[in-house]
């Protein structure tokens, strides 16, 4: 009995040893691959390389300070104030660059650099201007005593196209919905008075200024008096042409609006004071 017990124990030990030294084989799995929509498509073969434009000013003189968080242009590229206004491209001392809607709207820079985005299109346009030199040209700054009780700066009348609208200072959407806008940092009386408005929609006050003819009259009324201008030119200018906002020694009025379906151009109407 003792011999059989020992043999049985030995056999069990051999079997156990054989189990531990047996070759381990990897388990095989079989499952379906996930659907294509669960993974993003690879982009390594579709990289688009764009040649850098060497003529773009990327120095500190063209750098912009970003708009404040939550402002109307906080999400728009190319908006804000120049980091070094006195060295800004084109010799601008004001240093305002505002990005707003496409051909449906006209840009009205504000004192804080805010502007009106066109939520419908996402496109933008830009105006830039310098600060007027009141020492060498005619210029009347906007001061608190020039506001009427209702909050406007005056009234613009163009009889030939049926315009008789109040003028407001500012560039926010609420201002443009009320009437015509006055460009900040341009004169409100002496010299060059620059105004702009929508060219379509409910408030398309400047929707027909491109139909004005030489000699048509434009009347500006402010707290300082009433002045009548005679249209001398109606031009289609580039969106980057800001020469019309420059101060002048003579009294004139300059009206801006966008060109329908031509986002790179603006209508510019100039009138000079009639004597």
């Amino acid at each position: 009995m003792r011999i059989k017990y020992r043999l049985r124990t030995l056999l069990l030990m051999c079997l156990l040893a054989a189990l531990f030294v047996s070759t381990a084989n990897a388990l095989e799995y079989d499952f379906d691959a996930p659907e294509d929509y669960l993974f993003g498509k690879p982009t390594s073969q579709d990289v688009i390389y764009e040649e850098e434009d060497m003529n773009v000013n990327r120095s500190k003189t063209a750098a912009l300070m970003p708009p404040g968080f939550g402002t109307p242009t906080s999400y728009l590229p190319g908006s804000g104030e120049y980091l070094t206004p006195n060295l800004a491209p084109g010799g601008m001392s004001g240093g305002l660059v505002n990005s707003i809607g496409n051909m449906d709207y006209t840009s009205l820079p504000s004192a804080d650099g805010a502007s009106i985005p066109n939520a419908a299109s996402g496109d933008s346009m830009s105006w830039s201007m310098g600060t007027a030199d009141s020492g060498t040209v005619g210029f009347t700054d906007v001061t608190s005593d020039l506001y009427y009780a209702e909050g406007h700066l005056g009234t613009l009348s163009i009889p030939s196209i049926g315009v008789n609208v109040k003028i407001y200072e500012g560039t926010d959407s609420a201002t443009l919905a009320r009437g015509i806008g006055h460009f900040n940092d341009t004169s409100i009386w002496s010299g060059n008075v620059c105004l702009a408005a929508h060219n379509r929609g409910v408030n398309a006050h400047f929707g027909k200024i491109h139909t004005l003819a030489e000699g048509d009259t434009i009347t500006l009324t402010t707290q300082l008096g009433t002045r009548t201008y005679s249209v001398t030119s109606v031009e289609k200018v580039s969106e980057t042409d800001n020469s019309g906002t420059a101060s002048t020694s003579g009294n004139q009025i300059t009206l801006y609006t966008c060109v329908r379906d031509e986002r790179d151009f603006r209508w510019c109407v100039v009138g000079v004071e009639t004597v």
Side-chain angles (χ1 to χ4, degrees):
M1 290 295 296
R2 185 175 295 178
I3 295 175
K4 290 181 179 182
Y5 175 76
R6 288 180 177 177
L7 288 174
R8 188 182 304 165
T9 303
L10 182 61
L11 289 172
L12 290 174
M13 293 177 65
C14 290
L15 289 173
L16 291 174
L19 290 174
F20 283 112
V21 299
S22 62
T23 303
N25 296 319
L27 297 178
E28 295 183 1
Y29 297 93
D30 186 12
F31 56 89
D32 295 331
E35 299 293 337
D36 290 340
Y37 68 86
L38 295 178
F39 294 92
K41 294 182 179 180
T43 60
S44 58
Q45 302 301 320
D46 299 317
V47 177
I48 299 175
Y49 295 94
E50 296 182 359
E51 184 177 353
E52 184 177 6
D53 187 352
M54 302 302 295
N55 294 319
V56 176
N57 185 354
R58 294 184 173 84
S59 66
K60 184 176 69 174
T61 61
L64 297 173
M65 292 185 293
F69 178 78
T71 60
T73 55
S74 60
Y75 66 97
L76 294 178
S79 59
E81 295 187 15
Y82 280 110
L83 180 63
T84 54
N86 59 314
L87 301 177
M92 292 178 294
S93 58
L96 288 179
V97 171
N98 300 295
S99 300
I100 67 170
N102 63 0
M103 71 289 297
D104 295 344
Y105 301 90
T106 298
S107 176
L108 303 174
S110 67
D112 59 0
S115 59
I116 309 165
N118 181 353
S121 67
D123 295 333
S124 64
M125 70 179 239
S126 299
W127 289 96
S128 32
M129 64 169 63
T131 301
D133 183 356
S134 58
T136 59
V137 295
F139 187 83
T140 304
D141 199 6
V142 175
T143 54
S144 59
D145 59 311
L146 294 183
Y147 284 90
Y148 286 84
E150 296 82 0
H152 60 289
L153 289 169
T155 303
L156 186 75
S157 175
I158 313 176
S160 60
I161 57 174
V163 171
N164 188 31
V165 185
K166 292 179 179 178
I167 302 168
Y168 296 89
E169 184 83 350
T171 63
D172 56 89
S173 57
T175 300
L176 285 182
R178 296 169 67 188
I180 294 171
H182 170 252
F183 281 95
N184 284 3
D185 297 325
T186 68
S187 177
I188 191 59
W189 185 245
S190 299
N192 186 16
V193 179
C194 298
L195 306 174
H198 292 310
N199 71 337
R200 65 174 68 179
V202 177
N203 299 311
H205 304 305
F206 282 1
K208 295 182 180 180
I209 64 170
H210 63 286
T211 66
L212 291 173
E214 185 175 347
D216 284 345
T217 59
I218 301 173
T219 301
L220 172 68
T221 300
T222 72
Q223 294 275 31
L224 298 172
T226 297
R227 189 169 271 161
T228 301
Y229 306 86
S230 178
V231 173
T232 58
S233 66
V234 179
E235 295 182 282
K236 184 188 293 186
V237 300
S238 169
E239 67 167 340
T240 58
D241 182 0
N242 59 4
S243 59
T245 62
S247 298
T248 59
S249 56
N251 294 328
Q252 74 174 50
I253 194 165
T254 305
L255 312 180
Y256 277 103
T257 195
C258 299
V259 179
R260 184 184 292 266
D261 300 327
E262 295 184 47
R263 60 175 297 179
D264 296 330
F265 297 93
R266 306 288 177 262
W267 287 116
C268 176
V269 175
V270 175
V272 297
E273 182 183 17
T274 58
V275 181

